[in-house]
Amino acid sequence: MTAEPFKPSLVKAVFRDVTPLHVSRSAAWAAASVTRTVLTEIVDGARRAAAEQSRRKLIPGDLISATDRDVELEVGGTWYEHSPTFRSRTGDLYDADGVLVPLRQRRGTRTPSAVAGAHRFEAGVRRLLRSRGATAVPAMVRDLDGIASVFLTDLARGAAVVVREGGVKRFGTVVLGAPDEAAALPFPKDVLGALSTRTGDRRTVGRDDVLAATTMVLFGDLRQRALTEAKVPTRNIPASTGNEGDV
């Protein structure tokens, strides 16, 4: 079984932050796997950018290069609004009403609750970096922390919506891409059909709910890889992880 840098216990803690629903063991493993897949793609993209400059240690500029080259990697959007790495790209910071925030007020800007807990992911981020043969400066680790936190929070919220709505019918099947690109292959009907209408109780988030949420927050090849890999670790869930409905 593939080792997960983001432990299911941490995944469940994130789910508890956003929903009172129980989270099954298989759902926690699936969410951990999806998060790992996303962060792995981001790290690999940053590694390629660093290699072009003959560097092994990743810096925030490598993260910017990776997301510039692959739109699929732009996940956890809330983090980008608060990360010094991405905020500095525009230079100015505006409030919710579109008013420019003076520099003296920016120092006191607070991050949203999901981002405030991003430090919980530092150990997992460092394990992931080691597994990819990479190291990163502290600012880069913080950015990966924030992306992991916000992405997993979005995934948890999506899964809770799937449980509440009874499936993903209302979200449709939107295909994103540039106007000059060839049409992407449609999402596999067997997978989408299995996720469009859920079965089971309305008190527990299951693995299929997480997979359905994945179709809502990811797209393209990254979505397909995340769905495929999320089905692997759940085949051999250690008995020590607790009862299926535990949170």
Side-chain angles (χ1 to χ4, degrees), residues 29 31 65 69 73 107 143 145 164 167 193 221:
W29 279 99
S65 295
R69 296 176 183 182
L73 302 183
R107 298 191 184 97
D143 274 326
D145 272 345
R164 184 172 66 248
D221 292 339

Side-chain angles (χ1 to χ4, degrees), residues 186-204:
F187 198 66
K189 291 183 178 180
D190 56 334
V191 176
L192 186 59
L195 300 177
S196 62
T197 304
R198 79 182 298 270
T199 58
D201 66 71
R202 296 294 182 89
R203 299 182 301 275
T204 302

Side-chain angles (χ1 to χ4, degrees), residues 72-115:
E72 292 181 15
L73 302 183
E74 293 186 9
V75 298
T78 303
W79 172 252
Y80 298 142
E81 299 172 6
H82 298 273
S83 164
T85 297
F86 289 87
R87 196 169 63 199
S88 63
R89 299 181 73 182
T90 59
D92 296 327
L93 178 66
Y94 296 86
D95 62 18
D97 297 321
V99 178
L100 181 67
V101 177
L103 180 61
R104 64 179 179 275
Q105 293 183 19
R106 298 183 200 178
R107 298 191 184 97
T109 301
R110 297 186 53 146
T111 57
S113 58
V115 179

Side-chain angles (χ1 to χ4, degrees), residues 201-222:
D201 66 71
R202 296 294 182 89
R203 299 182 301 275
T204 302
V205 176
R207 188 197 70 164
D208 285 350
D209 300 320
V210 171
L211 297 182
T214 300
T215 70
M216 295 156 54
V217 298
L218 296 177
F219 68 95
D221 292 339
L222 179 56

Side-chain angles (χ1 to χ4, degrees), residues 28-53:
W29 279 99
S33 175
V34 170
T35 305
R36 168 177 52 79
T37 299
V38 169
L39 267 290
T40 297
E41 292 295 317
I42 293 174
V43 168
D44 286 351
R47 286 178 60 213
R48 288 190 288 273
E52 292 176 0
Q53 300 181 23

